[in-house]
Amino acid sequence: MKKVFIDTMGCQMNKSDTERMLGMLSHFDYEETKEPEQADLLMINTCSIRQLSEDKAFSAVGTWGKWKKEGKNIKIGFCGCVAQQKAQEIFKRAPYVDFVLGTHKIYSLPEIIKRINNGEKVCECTETNSTEDDLAKKYEIERVKGVNAWIPITEGCNNFCTYCIVPYTRGRERSRQPEIIIKEAQDALDAGFKEITLLGQNVDSYGKDFKDKNYRLAELLKDLNALEGKFRIRFVTSYPTDITDELIQTALELDKVCEYFHIPMQSGSTEVLKAMNRRYTREEYAEIVKKVREKIADVTITSDFIAGFPGETEEQFVETLTAIDEFELDYSNVAAYSPREKTVAARWVDKYIPEDVKNERFQRLNKKIQENCLKSNLKYVNREMEVLVENFYEHKGKMINTGKTRNFKTVHIPCDKDLTGEFVNVKITGAKTWYLKGEII
Ligand code: SF4
């Protein structure tokens, strides 16, 4: 067996692509290693959301390039969103790279491996409109054993938010066929996975592009919920205005669908949202969150925000801080604005916010998010909750199991027995900013 190391950056979609690539490579006698020094094939699966991650990717392959120069017999692959965007340019900046593979063509990987082994340099970044499900059938996924299986249900995005590179790197939105998704879920359950997370840039617009059927996320959830056995279902990421009443009702009624919605707001200011080309106002977002909270008890709602979007005033930024409080957002990811080539906002150079102001807003946002996260966690102290254990490790001489509640709260449970993959009932005994403490009952 040869060894492959894949460094995965960015979002869950990239993690899922990595799983698929490892699955394909396993048919060609490659096994995964976590140690880059031991690998025959080194790949980086890149993210282009921020300049920083792009720079990190080039720095990582630079190290591998040095090993190659020193005489190590290795092959290097540059994959993912930066690959899709830069294509042949990658070879100019990193001539030691053997292949560049974009996000649309990951199923070309076996062919690419044959070609690079014959000494070719390969760049495969052509766009396609298919979800390549036929090829997916050919290369059954071999997931790394675990608790949570990530299953993409849509690829790409049609929204063209003015700051976002995704429509350029992942293409237009395409939904995968339900029968393929259901089979993938069944295979994961048969392999012992206990949680299925459906992935999409806008997971709640699933099925909008089906011409031959009226089958949307709600229908898919019902079909998955009907699969045998005890397991959980989650779906991320939701675009606020694509969350329908039917979807909320379905999530409420299905016992395996968890009480968790990730609904990025991006800014609390309606003017900034307009500049971002987000298709909702602050009030409309508030309405959606209210509906979800009213229907689903104990629901966790998380969000994403951008600090220092071009032209954002101090007053508009403060509206984001107040939104986090007002809508009681349980947790949010925050990023300082980073201009990305090709996007509309990147052209608004004269409106760029100075770095020091942007960073200060970033810090203030993070502080607000931490406060709210602790407030949200404190609500669960003394409650009984079900936890799906995901990890078991030693910390300061004690053995700890960690896992997630149905509503996506992390719980640390001191216990000498490894309970990974088990559902356990715990009493919540304490709350910290990022996690709850629990005792098995
Ligand atoms: S909805 Fe906007 S932010 Fe999300 S992937 Fe699409 S373009 Fe990007």
Side-chain angles (χ1 to χ4, degrees):
M1 291 289 271
K2 288 187 177 172
K3 289 197 167 24
V4 54
F5 170 82
I6 306 186
D7 183 354
T8 308
M9 312 179 89
C11 66
Q12 296 304 343
M13 200 59 100
N14 269 15
K15 286 191 188 152
S16 165
D17 283 350
T18 293
E19 266 188 353
R20 266 151 228 280
M21 292 195 284
L22 287 172
M24 284 181 254
L25 289 169
S26 70
H27 292 265
F28 293 86
D29 291 338
Y30 280 93
E31 68 179 7
E32 190 189 13
T33 173
K34 299 281 182 202
E35 307 296 333
E37 295 81 1
Q38 291 175 8
D40 304 283
L41 171 62
L42 292 133
M43 291 161 61
I44 189 146
N45 195 1
T46 58
C47 166
S48 57
I49 290 284
R50 277 182 279 285
Q51 185 62 41
L52 189 66
S53 36
E54 189 177 318
D55 295 344
K56 269 192 195 159
F58 278 105
S59 151
V61 289
T63 307
W64 303 342
K66 233 194 267 159
W67 295 349
K68 207 176 190 186
K69 231 176 169 181
E70 287 162 7
K72 236 181 155 184
N73 184 17
I74 50 174
K75 299 283 183 199
I76 301 174
F78 199 106
C79 315
C81 293
V82 179
Q84 185 66 40
Q85 198 192 352
K86 309 261 171 186
Q88 292 282 353
E89 269 182 56
I90 308 278
F91 291 127
K92 284 193 207 137
R93 193 161 160 190
Y96 35 78
V97 164
D98 295 281
F99 71 94
V100 176
L101 173 58
T103 52
H104 289 246
K105 301 289 277 196
I106 64 164
Y107 291 108
S108 316
L109 184 59
E111 192 50 43
I112 291 174
I113 298 297
K114 277 188 218 150
R115 288 170 62 191
I116 60 165
N117 284 338
N118 285 333
E120 258 186 83
K121 268 193 187 285
V122 183
C123 179
E124 188 51 276
C125 297
T126 30
E127 280 199 28
T128 125
N129 282 326
S130 87
T131 49
E132 306 200 24
D133 273 337
D134 291 342
L135 284 160
K137 276 184 218 154
K138 207 160 123 195
Y139 296 109
E140 300 266 317
I141 295 176
E142 292 199 2
R143 293 180 187 279
V144 183
K145 201 174 153 25
V147 176
N148 191 341
W150 303 90
I151 302 185
I153 65 167
T154 66
E155 287 265 7
C157 181
N158 294 342
N159 285 337
F160 288 91
C161 301
T162 53
Y163 53 84
C164 182
I165 192 82
V166 167
Y168 306 95
T169 54
R170 296 248 168 205
R172 296 304 90 76
E173 191 170 274
R174 288 103 60 207
S175 302
R176 301 181 71 208
Q177 289 299 324
E179 56 278 12
I180 290 180
I181 297 167
I182 294 164
K183 180 172 183 307
E184 251 182 61
Q186 184 63 65
D187 289 347
L189 296 172
D190 292 345
F193 285 81
K194 296 290 166 55
E195 190 168 283
I196 304 290
T197 301
L198 305 177
L199 290 178
Q201 259 82 26
N202 298 302
V203 77
D204 45 357
S205 65
Y206 175 75
K208 267 189 186 171
D209 53 329
F210 288 148
K211 305 251 174 344
D212 56 338
K213 52 184 167 281
N214 184 14
Y215 187 98
R216 301 291 304 276
L217 180 58
E219 280 69 40
L220 181 61
L221 290 174
K222 285 177 201 164
D223 283 343
L224 289 171
N225 199 75
L227 297 177
E228 294 279 313
K230 182 168 172 64
F231 66 97
R232 292 175 175 179
I233 305 170
R234 301 188 191 277
F235 52 91
V236 287
T237 296
S238 300
Y239 191 89
T241 45
D242 285 330
I243 300 177
T244 60
D245 292 350
E246 192 203 353
L247 178 62
I248 301 172
Q249 187 61 29
T250 307
L252 170 72
E253 285 169 8
L254 299 178
D255 61 321
K256 290 168 185 160
V257 176
C258 294
E259 296 75 24
Y260 172 59
F261 278 74
H262 181 61
I263 319 175
M265 187 183 193
Q266 306 298 4
S267 167
S269 150
T270 297
E271 291 92 65
V272 175
L273 288 171
K274 202 164 166 215
M276 288 175 165
N277 195 30
R278 302 289 287 181
R279 292 175 280 107
Y280 51 88
T281 60
R282 177 186 174 106
E283 291 70 30
E284 283 161 345
Y285 183 90
E287 196 50 41
I288 291 151
V289 167
K290 188 165 161 242
K291 261 194 222 171
V292 175
R293 287 213 188 280
E294 275 173 4
K295 280 261 176 196
I296 304 178
D298 287 340
V299 68
T300 290
I301 300 182
T302 56
S303 184
D304 296 335
F305 288 99
I306 296 174
F309 185 73
E312 181 189 64
T313 63
E314 170 63 19
E315 291 71 28
Q316 289 167 338
F317 171 70
V318 171
E319 285 189 74
T320 297
L321 296 180
T322 59
I324 294 173
D325 278 337
E326 203 181 304
F327 312 143
E328 296 179 30
L329 297 172
D330 298 277
Y331 171 75
S332 301
N333 301 304
V334 50
Y337 173 74
S338 166
R340 307 309 294 131
E341 204 185 302
K342 284 191 186 170
T343 61
V344 174
R347 288 186 229 133
W348 300 337
V349 182
D350 53 332
K351 293 187 183 162
Y352 280 8
I353 304 295
E355 283 302 305
D356 55 337
V357 177
K358 205 160 70 174
N359 289 335
E360 188 249 359
R361 289 183 188 169
F362 175 80
Q363 308 291 350
R364 281 158 73 198
L365 251 181
N366 267 322
K367 195 162 165 268
K368 173 59 66 195
I369 287 161
Q370 286 184 27
E371 280 166 27
N372 275 44
C373 205
L374 179 61
K375 218 190 282 173
S376 159
N377 283 349
L378 283 166
K379 289 190 290 196
Y380 296 99
V381 176
N382 291 326
R383 292 268 304 269
E384 288 179 14
M385 302 179 95
E386 181 198 75
V387 175
L388 171 57
V389 177
E390 295 171 343
N391 283 307
F392 179 63
Y393 59 88
E394 193 200 314
H395 180 65
K396 294 185 182 164
K398 279 194 186 145
M399 298 314 291
I400 310 276
N401 284 275
T402 64
K404 292 268 190 309
T405 60
R406 285 180 57 100
N407 64 355
F408 211 60
K409 297 282 180 190
T410 300
V411 185
H412 291 192
I413 312 162
C415 173
D416 288 337
K417 192 172 164 215
D418 182 356
L419 300 170
T420 305
E422 288 186 33
F423 293 93
V424 292
N425 289 321
V426 298
K427 179 164 183 202
I428 303 302
T429 54
K432 298 271 184 192
T433 303
W434 304 126
Y435 64 92
L436 299 169
K437 291 191 219 167
E439 270 171 15
I440 296 179
I441 46 178

